[in-house]
Amino acid sequence: MARSNQAAVKNLKSKPRSFEVVNYLDKKYQPDIVKDVREGLTAPQKFIPCKYFYDARGSKLFEDICRLPEYYLTRTEISILKDITPGLMETSTHKDLVELGSGADWKIRILLEAAGESNRSTLRYIPVDISESAVIEAAQGLLEIWPRLEVLGVVADFTRHLEAIPTERPVMYCFLGSTIGNLDEHESTSFLRSISDNMKLDDRLLIGFDMLKPREILEAAYNDSQGVTSEFNKNILSVINSALSADFNPSHFGHLAFFNEEHSRIEMHLRASCDFSVKLESLGMEIDFKKGETIHTENSRKFTRASIEEMASQARLSIENWYSDPDAWFSIVTMALDPRRNS
Ligand code: SAH
Ligand code: AVI
């Protein structure tokens, strides 16, 4: 059963806030991270799932990434959102705005602003994120602007706890930032399929995709000149250190990010700069690293219209509207249940 921690939220900044946060990770997170890290660090190509980037510091570092000149994704998606949301929100009859991997409140603010006062008064915002601090801070930020906005925070792993999301009212699901690209082909299709299984005819999915573009632009976005992406990448080791009583030394690793053309994805790795071993007390394990070997920490897939159409169709979703910036660097797509899904 999930913990509902309204009181804790109220104490966070000693400012009373009328929103509830339901936490699905309390009991389930530890067994997940133990299993995931054991599996990942004993595989021939070591890996750690990218969802473990996002403790409070990881969420802040990601926000810093979004402001970097090289990281075009956020500002491009925001420019599209500003164009399309007046039309999208003014006529919307959706009552719940469910944002998956919600992070900061920047993008949902644009939707809520566009909804106008009378629509907003009947809307409930449901941010769903693995990062508790992100959920709480986003809710607080929105309530500072719209004190009467109804907010239900859900701290959960969206790949595992979709049942945590209420479905009784008409829903607009938002999955922005191209976070879908952090799931592999199989995971993303099955994730979209689980969403479509929960959707009713009038529900919609608003989803952002980073599009395939020249390698130099992609690689610059993940190798910024200020080293913020490198800090973000290494933060995963600090998360593992505190969750599993491990003794990773982040300075023993270098940041590596490159475009893998065959899989149409940026891969991020951490590369060992010397030979050493790491103790993971909670796993009762010691793992050896050889100079030059890597831990694969993230994939960020880059899409084409064809790859998106294929994924939507496999997930039994139909594409309703397609929006892009003038350079077609980023796309926002609205999807509905495919009317032919039962045939
Ligand atoms: N939607 C925001 C944030 C994108 S960053 C934007 O468009 O800018 C990805 C977000 O997804 C982070 O806030 C991270 O904490 C969250 N996240 C990553 N994996 C997750 C998972 N498995 N379940 C829930 N949230 C996840
Ligand atoms: C959250 N996600 C879509 C980001 C991305 O671009 O894949 C995470 C990120 N990794 C490095 N920079 C940003």
Side-chain angles (χ1 to χ4, degrees):
M1 194 53 204
R3 170 172 67 96
S4 172
N5 72 346
Q6 198 160 25
V9 172
K10 282 181 177 173
N11 288 337
L12 196 80
K13 281 190 176 167
S14 63
K15 256 194 207 167
R17 288 292 184 212
S18 55
F19 67 98
E20 190 187 356
V21 176
V22 185
N23 190 325
Y24 272 73
L25 296 180
D26 274 358
K27 297 221 169 62
K28 297 183 184 175
Y29 195 65
Q30 188 66 16
D32 278 1
I33 197 167
V34 164
K35 180 176 155 293
D36 289 345
V37 173
R38 185 189 297 279
E39 188 190 334
L41 293 185
T42 54
Q45 167 61 69
K46 293 180 170 71
F47 67 92
I48 302 175
C50 64
K51 64 186 175 187
Y52 297 117
F53 280 130
Y54 300 97
D55 62 351
R57 180 167 181 266
S59 294
K60 284 283 159 241
L61 284 167
F62 178 71
E63 287 178 30
D64 293 341
I65 288 177
C66 293
R67 296 186 191 96
L68 292 168
E70 296 94 335
Y71 197 74
Y72 59 85
L73 287 82
T74 309
R75 63 173 178 274
T76 311
E77 188 178 35
I78 284 180
S79 74
I80 305 171
L81 281 174
K82 285 188 171 158
D83 276 353
I84 68 173
T85 46
L88 204 66
M89 298 305 291
E90 271 161 20
T91 53
S92 165
T93 53
H94 298 107
K95 295 293 169 221
D96 282 340
L97 269 181
V98 171
E99 188 174 16
L100 301 157
S102 45
D105 63 357
W106 305 334
K107 294 176 187 171
I108 213 68
R109 264 189 208 201
I110 300 171
L111 273 77
L112 288 166
E113 184 73 58
E117 202 176 326
S118 88
N119 277 348
R120 219 169 25 241
S121 67
T122 63
L123 272 176
R124 176 169 60 165
Y125 174 50
I126 307 182
V128 181
D129 206 290
I130 204 160
S131 167
E132 184 173 42
S133 65
V135 168
I136 292 172
E137 285 177 27
Q140 288 175 332
L142 294 174
L143 286 163
E144 268 166 32
I145 312 176
W146 299 295
R148 298 209 317 277
L149 181 72
E150 197 182 339
V151 179
L152 169 63
V154 179
V155 180
D157 180 339
F158 55 57
T159 61
R160 295 173 49 85
H161 308 129
L162 274 188
E163 82 278 3
I165 300 167
T167 54
E168 69 275 9
R169 311 200 312 167
V171 186
M172 185 188 289
Y173 294 93
C174 304
F175 194 32
L176 299 171
S178 201
T179 302
I180 182 104
N182 300 137
L183 304 175
D184 70 24
E185 226 171 299
H186 171 75
E187 287 165 340
S188 55
T189 307
S190 70
F191 177 61
L192 289 187
R193 181 66 185 267
S194 332
I195 295 177
S196 79
D197 286 345
N198 277 351
M199 279 169 77
K200 304 195 179 62
L201 274 177
D202 289 335
D203 293 344
R204 291 293 177 272
L205 169 63
L206 183 73
I207 176 164
F209 294 96
D210 191 23
M211 305 302 280
L212 185 60
K213 58 183 66 60
R215 170 189 292 269
E216 314 78 72
I217 301 168
L218 292 170
E219 290 189 340
Y222 294 83
N223 288 286
D224 67 276
S225 58
Q226 296 170 48
V228 183
T229 312
S230 166
E231 278 302 297
F232 173 73
N233 197 4
K234 291 181 188 180
N235 188 57
I236 209 164
L237 301 176
S238 311
V239 172
I240 303 302
N241 279 348
S242 36
L244 300 176
S245 305
D247 64 357
F248 274 107
N249 181 344
S251 71
H252 284 162
F253 289 89
H255 168 72
L256 175 68
F258 58 89
F259 184 59
N260 177 330
E261 196 169 345
E262 186 193 343
H263 294 287
S264 192
R265 68 188 187 203
I266 288 282
E267 287 187 16
M268 284 209 320
H269 293 251
L270 288 164
R271 183 161 52 192
S273 50
C274 51
D275 293 357
F276 55 87
S277 54
V278 172
K279 279 201 190 72
L280 295 109
E281 254 180 51
S282 307
L283 302 189
M285 288 171 79
E286 193 161 321
I287 306 279
D288 294 328
F289 285 85
K290 290 263 163 272
K291 180 178 178 181
E293 84 164 295
T294 71
I295 309 175
H296 187 172
T297 49
E298 188 183 61
N299 290 319
S300 189
R301 290 161 62 215
K302 306 301 161 190
F303 298 88
T304 60
R305 187 152 181 152
S307 67
I308 294 167
E309 284 170 352
E310 171 67 18
M311 183 166 44
S313 126
Q314 288 194 8
R316 300 188 184 191
L317 288 163
S318 70
I319 292 177
E320 206 171 53
N321 287 300
W322 189 287
Y323 310 98
S324 291
D325 56 297
D327 299 317
W329 277 14
F330 204 94
S331 297
I332 297 183
V333 181
T334 49
M335 298 187 188
L337 271 185
D338 185 342
R340 296 159 304 163
R341 69 192 179 284
N342 291 324
S343 58

